[in-house]
Amino acid sequence: MTKKNVIRALVVAVIVLVLDQISKHWALSELIDGQTISLLGDFLSLHLVHNPGAAFSFLDNATWVFTLIATLFVVFFPFFLRRVTSGMVVMWGAMIWGGAFGNLIDRLLRAPGFPQGHVVDFIQYSDWFIGNIADIALVVGFIGLGAHELFGSSTPEPDTVLDHDHSQE
């Protein structure tokens, strides 16, 4: 991976993390548990919840599992990034990295306590689910990676072309 891709990945991940943490702080200070504020009718609203599980409150009694998985991902993803040659894969991966880190902070630092903290969710999508900025980054990142895998070009991106070794000429 090029130095430019490392910087891009860090910038994207930090932007996701900062937006996630700022928006959660705002939600905790401005929204009341149980209150719903309609933004786009019944389709999109603000509704503060503290989620012990994953998406759709899946496995809400096993918060430590998500903490462990997120910790492993956040710690080891930079080592994986070193092997990536595609700038787009770096960007999608950085979104996932930032989103995982944002929710991991909640699991480590929020009530009921380390390592079973509940994630602050406040963006309600109809009756489907309630999420946050980190969740949006995770979904967009995974969709981007999937699309890149399915429809991506097999030709190298400009950042990935290796310099020709002229020493043997």
Side-chain angles (χ1 to χ4, degrees):
M1 178 166 70
T2 66
K3 186 175 183 176
K4 186 190 299 186
N5 279 347
V6 171
I7 292 168
R8 285 180 189 163
L10 287 172
V11 167
V12 168
V14 167
I15 288 170
V16 167
L17 181 61
V18 167
L19 288 175
D20 177 65
Q21 293 301 300
I22 289 172
S23 66
K24 288 174 180 174
H25 177 75
W26 173 84
L28 289 169
S29 66
E30 298 297 324
L31 301 175
I32 300 167
D33 281 336
Q35 173 190 21
T36 299
I37 300 172
S38 178
L39 298 176
L40 292 173
D42 291 336
F43 178 71
L44 185 67
S45 57
L46 300 175
H47 184 91
L48 180 64
V49 297
H50 302 275
N51 183 0
F56 311 107
S57 294
F58 177 69
L59 290 175
D60 59 355
N61 292 324
T63 302
W64 66 271
V65 172
F66 300 112
T67 302
L68 178 63
I69 291 168
T71 301
L72 292 172
F73 182 79
V74 167
V75 169
F76 289 108
F77 186 72
F79 297 102
F80 166 77
L81 267 181
R82 295 184 316 159
R83 296 176 170 217
V84 175
T85 57
S86 165
M88 287 307 298
V89 170
V90 168
M91 293 302 95
W92 300 127
M95 289 186 77
I96 296 167
W97 190 26
F101 206 162
N103 284 339
L104 178 60
I105 289 171
D106 287 9
R107 297 198 185 282
L108 295 176
L109 302 178
R110 296 203 189 275
F114 180 89
Q116 297 183 10
H118 296 177
V119 174
V120 174
D121 288 335
F122 61 94
I123 305 170
Q124 183 170 0
Y125 303 90
S126 189
D127 290 330
W128 302 326
F129 62 92
I130 302 174
N132 56 45
I133 301 298
D135 296 334
I136 293 169
L138 288 165
V139 169
V140 170
F142 279 117
I143 289 172
L145 280 178
H148 182 83
E149 187 64 28
L150 288 172
F151 308 111
S153 171
S154 60
T155 59
E157 296 180 29
D159 285 342
T160 65
V161 178
L162 299 175
D163 290 333
H164 181 66
D165 183 5
H166 297 286
S167 63
Q168 295 179 356
E169 293 179 355

